Amino acid sequence: MWRICYIIFQGINYQYSIGEISMRISFRLKLAGFAAIAILSMSIILATEAYFYLDMENNNKQRDAVNSLVRDIYSIQLDQKTFIQSHKQETRARIMTNCATVTSAISQRSDLGDMGLSFGAYTAAIGKMFDSFDNRQQASIGMNLAQDKALQGIQAVIDAMDKIQARKQTQGEDLSNDENAALASIRECSVFAYKLHALQQAFYLTGDEANAAQFAALLKSQILDQVDMLANNISEAKARDACKAIKSNMLAFIDNGQKGQELFRKEMLAIANVQKAGEEAIASANNMLATTDTVVAKIKSRAIVTICGIVLIIAVSFIILAIYLIRSLLSPLNSAISQLSQSGDAISDAANRISASSNDLSEGATEQAASLEETSSALEQLASMTRQNADNATSANSQMDQTKQQ
């Protein structure tokens, strides 16, 4: 009986060990799968973050490049205003250097779009402004040379007339009425030249068309014709020829002045075009900055939504896997517990049987002990009877011996 119980107990232990090993292997495999999924999920999240980071980094680099270009354009505009006021060549050289630098920077990037076109138009407008300035400067130089030549001629005639007057006065004579009229016209012509020059300079400084209108009104004066006509009344040939040259010099002066005015108007138009092109370049840059900021904001928003979605999906997946893992672990545990319960029941039944057998054996032993006691008592009674019989026999023999002796 005890051998049977031992065999049953060993069988239960063997089944439990196999189940435990299987459950542990299954748990480790599932845990490894769970860890692999966790690593894969983190890799997906990191890859997504890296993608959005690189995208944002590219847009930030574009934004930094545009900001740098905007600063350069503002610097060019400041130098442009300084040049318009001072016309310094070093300012012009700095503008051209900065324009070349910005153009080179724009040409090295393919993501600046309309900004490159707008700055190209701005650079072209600056070039036209410089050309207009150069042309006007040439006209101004021609005007100044013609004016100087005309004034020198006028002064030469005045000096010659003064010498004639001084010589005649030593002779007790004076200039004729025609010569005095010619001298007065020549002096008036000098004032006329200075007025034209002053109006021209005022027009250049202010851009006021009223100065140009006054300049044109003075041209209607007949002073040049009077000087040319009165030159024939001068007695000395040298002074007469110098007086006739005054008109041609003054006409050259006036012609250069009128050309200078037209070129100045073109220069003002070129300056306006430069300012407009500069504003358009800045506006294009600001639009690009705004677009870049919008794109960066969208990328951030999309990154947040995407990563949150991935995290949510992964969290749900983890919850489902955790539930599955817990259930898959609980099922063998429940099975093992059930088996243990069944084994416990079997052991309990075996113990009950062993207890019943023990009780049976105990009752048999008790009955056998009672039988032995009865047998022992009977044997003791038999021995007592035997001893009594022996005593009786001994007594009978003694009595028989006594009888024989008598």
Side-chain angles (χ1 to χ4, degrees):
M1 182 63 69
W2 286 103
R3 183 65 178 172
I4 294 171
C5 292
Y6 177 76
I7 292 172
I8 293 172
F9 182 73
Q10 289 296 324
I12 292 171
N13 284 339
Y14 176 76
Q15 291 178 357
Y16 174 72
S17 299
I18 295 297
E20 182 182 7
I21 293 170
S22 176
M23 184 177 68
R24 288 182 178 179
I25 293 174
S26 176
F27 174 75
R28 290 179 180 179
L29 290 175
K30 290 174 182 178
L31 190 61
F34 197 74
I37 293 173
I39 294 171
L40 179 62
S41 301
M42 292 302 297
S43 300
I44 293 172
I45 293 174
L46 292 175
T48 305
E49 288 181 349
Y51 169 77
F52 285 114
Y53 173 78
L54 292 175
D55 199 3
M56 289 176 61
E57 187 68 17
N58 291 332
N59 282 278
N60 286 330
K61 287 181 180 179
Q62 182 185 18
R63 193 179 192 282
D64 293 338
V66 174
N67 276 325
S68 177
L69 293 175
V70 168
R71 288 192 295 269
D72 291 338
I73 293 173
Y74 275 124
S75 176
I76 292 171
Q77 286 184 331
L78 291 175
D79 288 335
Q80 166 204 323
K81 293 178 181 178
T82 303
F83 175 79
I84 292 171
Q85 294 174 355
S86 64
H87 299 147
K88 292 183 178 180
Q89 291 301 315
E90 57 268 22
T91 305
R92 177 174 179 171
R94 188 164 58 248
I95 291 173
M96 296 305 295
T97 301
N98 291 335
C99 285
T101 301
V102 174
T103 301
S104 176
I106 291 175
S107 64
Q108 292 176 3
R109 298 186 65 92
S110 60
D111 55 350
L112 297 181
D114 295 337
M115 184 178 176
L117 298 176
S118 60
F119 185 77
Y122 180 50
T123 304
I126 290 175
K128 290 181 180 179
M129 181 188 72
F130 288 149
D131 292 339
S132 299
F133 172 76
D134 293 338
N135 293 333
R136 184 179 67 82
Q137 286 294 100
Q138 291 296 326
S140 297
I141 292 172
M143 178 182 175
N144 292 331
L145 291 174
Q147 181 191 21
D148 292 341
K149 192 174 182 181
L151 292 175
Q152 289 173 2
I154 290 171
Q155 190 62 42
V157 172
I158 292 173
D159 292 340
M161 294 299 294
D162 289 340
K163 289 180 181 179
I164 293 172
Q165 186 178 16
R167 188 176 65 249
K168 285 187 175 183
Q169 285 177 351
T170 57
Q171 297 175 357
E173 300 178 358
D174 199 358
L175 294 174
S176 65
N177 292 331
D178 291 337
E179 288 177 338
N180 284 324
L183 182 60
S185 297
I186 291 170
R187 293 182 186 279
E188 186 179 352
C189 185
S190 176
V191 174
F192 174 73
Y194 280 113
K195 285 183 178 180
L196 289 178
H197 185 267
L199 290 171
Q200 187 79 347
Q201 294 301 317
F203 177 67
Y204 285 163
L205 290 174
T206 63
D208 189 358
E209 289 292 338
N211 295 315
Q214 292 180 21
F215 186 95
L218 281 177
L219 296 180
K220 296 178 181 179
S221 173
Q222 301 297 322
I223 185 65
L224 295 180
D225 293 335
Q226 290 178 6
V227 170
D228 188 52
M229 182 179 64
L230 293 173
N232 295 322
N233 297 327
I234 299 175
S235 57
E236 288 195 6
K238 185 177 180 180
R240 185 171 56 251
D241 293 338
C243 188
K244 287 184 176 181
I246 290 174
K247 183 177 181 179
S248 61
N249 291 331
M250 286 298 296
L251 289 176
F253 165 65
I254 292 170
D255 181 62
N256 281 288
Q258 290 175 331
K259 288 180 180 179
Q261 290 178 8
E262 290 300 322
L263 291 172
F264 180 76
R265 292 186 182 94
K266 290 181 180 180
E267 182 183 355
M268 291 297 101
L269 180 61
I271 290 173
N273 290 334
V274 166
Q275 292 175 345
K276 182 180 179 181
E279 291 173 357
E280 289 177 352
I282 294 295
S284 177
N286 290 331
N287 289 334
M288 182 164 290
L289 287 175
T291 302
T292 303
D293 291 339
T294 303
V295 171
V296 170
K298 288 182 178 178
I299 291 173
K300 288 182 179 178
S301 177
R302 191 166 67 249
I304 293 172
V305 172
T306 303
I307 293 174
C308 288
I310 292 174
V311 170
L312 181 61
I313 293 172
I314 291 172
V316 173
S317 301
F318 268 84
I319 292 172
I320 294 173
L321 288 173
I323 293 172
Y324 170 74
L325 182 61
I326 291 171
R327 288 185 176 179
S328 62
L329 290 175
L330 288 177
S331 179
L333 288 174
N334 292 329
S335 178
I337 291 170
S338 177
Q339 290 178 1
L340 289 174
S341 177
Q342 292 176 359
S343 300
D345 293 339
I347 292 172
S348 179
D349 291 339
N352 291 330
R353 291 178 184 176
I354 292 171
S355 177
S357 299
S358 298
N359 292 330
D360 292 338
L361 290 173
S362 176
E363 291 176 358
T366 301
E367 291 177 356
Q368 289 178 0
S371 299
L372 288 174
E373 288 180 356
E374 291 177 356
T375 303
S376 176
S377 176
L379 289 174
E380 288 180 356
Q381 290 177 0
L382 181 61
S384 176
M385 291 175 64
T386 301
R387 284 194 298 272
Q388 187 175 2
N389 290 329
D391 290 338
N392 292 330
T394 301
S395 176
N397 286 326
S398 295
Q399 289 178 0
M400 286 180 65
D401 288 335
Q402 290 177 0
T403 301
K404 285 179 178 183
Q405 291 176 3
Q406 290 179 358

